[in-house]
Every structure is written in C-alpha cells, then in structure tokens.
Amino acid sequence: MAEPVRLSKLMSARGLCSRREADAFIERGLVFVDGRRVSELGTKVDPACAIRLDSAASRQQQQRVTMLLHKPVGYVSGQPEPGYQPAVALIRADTQWRDERRPEPAFLPAHLKGLAPAGRLDIDSTGLLVLTQDGRIARQLIGEQSDVEKEYLVRVEGRLDAHGLALLNHGLSLDGVRLRPARVAWQNADQLRFILKEGRKRQIRRMCELVGLRVVGLKRVRIGAVHLGDLPLGRWRYLSPDEHF
C-alpha cells in the first residue's frame, strides 16, 4: 500500500487548486475524500483516493480572475523594490484594454485581492505578464512540473558562432544546474527567438552572457497558447473563457 500523503499536497499535485487554497477549502469542509467530508488540516490520505470539491468551492474558483498585462520596463513583477513600482500597480480601470473582438468584463476592485504574478519578468524586460487569483493557473505556469512554453524576442550585441547557438539550445548550466533544452534561433540580424520551458532568475540574460552576447532588449510574446498580440504597452485585459495556456 502506498504511503499516505497530505491531502492539500495531493490536491495541488492533481491541479485542483494551490496548497494554500486546499487548506482553506479543507478548513471550511468543502473537500470530500472517497465520499467523506474532510475538515481537519493536515489530514493524510491514500494517494489513489477520489477527491471532490463541494460546489461552493467550485463556484469560488470560477469567480477568480486572471489578467494579461503588457509590462513596461521599470516595473518589477512581484514585490516592490526601492524606487520601483510592482506591475500590479498598472491594474486599474483606466488602463484596462478592451478588444472589440471579444467581450471584456468591467474591472472590479475585488479582483485585486490575492492577485499575484504567475512567473517573473525582470525589471529590464517587457512583454506578457500573467497575474492571477487562481492557484490552479499559477501552478500550471510556475509549478515544479510545469511544461508550458514561454517565448521571447531578444535583441543582442556581440558575435555568436554555430557552437554558441548550439549551446543556447542545450548544454548550458546556471548555478551548477544544467538547463532544460531550449529552442533558440535567429529571428533577424540582431534578434534571437527563445522558447523555454523554465524560468530561472534572469535566465536568458545569463545564458547570453555565457556565449559572449549582451542582451539589449527582451520581450516575452507568448506563454503557452496565449499570445501578447496587440495588447498595448502598459495596458491589461482579462483572460477570456476560451483562452487556455
């Protein structure tokens, strides 16, 4: 028989919610294991058990929003730093972008509660940043097992030979840890296209340094199946119901 595991950990591993959300649902008695309501934090269960959320928990998840922001240079993704604002400061009614091709709900201040970036985009970079209230989406994008592609256009200075390009695709390590295979190719004479499935701190800039390049501009244009598209710089919109990463 398999070793029992903490219920909240199992719920997160199955993509039902984040561990924090799982604990909140358990505490409110909104989780059923093999048909039995569980309300005690720290409960351990069989890894093969059936888990079901109460309809109240499901409704709560459906009300959570995810936003797409075209982050400008000079804003930090997460916690504010001295002299710089967090990207979430750009989420306001007057910066919402409405695309006439899709219905866009009205901004509500309640949508700022618990809103957090699902992945980093450093202060010197621009492009698509996802902010979400939904722990399931956060885990999908930045969880340890995440396999979602992130695509970047990177302007560089310096010389890069065929061997250096091959290393960018696979063969580099950062902080003693080998990087996962990437897809890197020239977009034009001074710009590379990177497609990664991980997001180590300042990863692309550090990768380029290792092969003798200097990054002079970095823009994220896609996360999974969601594209930055024509979302203007400094504006945001809601992830629509028919969009999935």
Side-chain angles (χ1 to χ4, degrees), residues 3 5 9 20 53 89 123 153 165 167 177 188 191 204:
E3 190 76 18
V5 297
K9 181 178 180 180
R20 180 181 296 180
L53 293 179
I123 196 167
L153 295 179
L165 184 61
L167 284 174
V177 179
N188 54 47
Q191 188 169 238
I204 291 176

Side-chain angles (χ1 to χ4, degrees), residues 43-237:
T43 296
K44 292 191 173 183
V45 298
D46 184 333
C49 69
I51 302 173
R52 178 175 64 84
L53 293 179
D54 186 272
S55 58
S58 298
R59 284 195 301 272
Q60 182 176 323
Q61 287 184 322
Q62 291 167 5
Q63 292 169 356
R64 290 180 177 154
V65 299
T66 296
M67 300 167 176
L68 309 175
L69 170 69
H70 189 165
K71 187 190 88 67
V73 169
Y75 286 82
V76 294
S77 298
Q79 296 299 317
E81 298 176 10
Y84 299 100
Q85 285 188 294
V88 72
L90 289 169
I91 306 297
R92 308 186 304 266
D94 64 306
T95 55
Q96 182 179 5
W97 184 65
R98 296 180 180 276
D99 184 345
E100 59 187 24
R101 295 170 296 182
R102 58 166 65 91
E104 183 80 359
F107 171 69
L108 298 174
H111 292 163
L112 292 174
K113 184 178 181 181
L115 191 66
R120 62 170 63 93
L121 193 59
D122 69 54
I123 196 167
D124 300 315
S125 301
T126 185
L128 182 59
L129 181 67
V130 176
L131 300 111
T132 186
Q133 295 177 321
D134 194 330
R136 296 170 300 174
I137 287 180
R139 183 182 179 279
Q140 179 188 5
L141 299 186
I142 60 176
E144 291 181 4
Q145 305 302 317
S146 176
D147 209 36
V148 176
E149 290 184 346
K150 288 87 173 177
E151 183 175 341
Y152 305 80
L153 295 179
V154 185
R155 285 192 298 110
V156 295
E157 291 180 346
R159 294 180 61 84
L160 180 69
D161 59 22
H163 177 64
L165 184 61
L167 284 174
L168 287 174
N169 277 272
H170 193 209
L172 296 177
S173 298
L174 293 178
D175 304 318
V177 179
R178 195 171 181 83
L179 295 173
R180 296 171 66 182
R183 286 157 53 199
V184 185
W186 285 107
Q187 176 74 5
N188 54 47
D190 66 350
Q191 188 169 238
L192 290 163
R193 181 181 297 272
F194 277 72
I195 299 177
L196 308 178
K197 289 188 176 181
E198 61 186 328
R200 308 270 292 279
K201 188 173 182 179
R202 297 181 74 83
Q203 178 173 336
I204 291 176
R205 295 176 188 277
R206 295 169 69 194
M207 289 172 69
C208 287
E209 288 172 4
L210 289 174
V211 295
L213 296 176
R214 186 173 76 89
V215 172
V216 294
L218 190 155
K219 182 178 185 179
R220 183 157 62 203
V221 296
R222 178 175 65 87
I223 299 177
V226 176
H227 293 255
L228 178 65
D230 49 7
L231 180 63
L233 185 68
R235 305 289 291 275
W236 66 273
R237 67 174 178 85

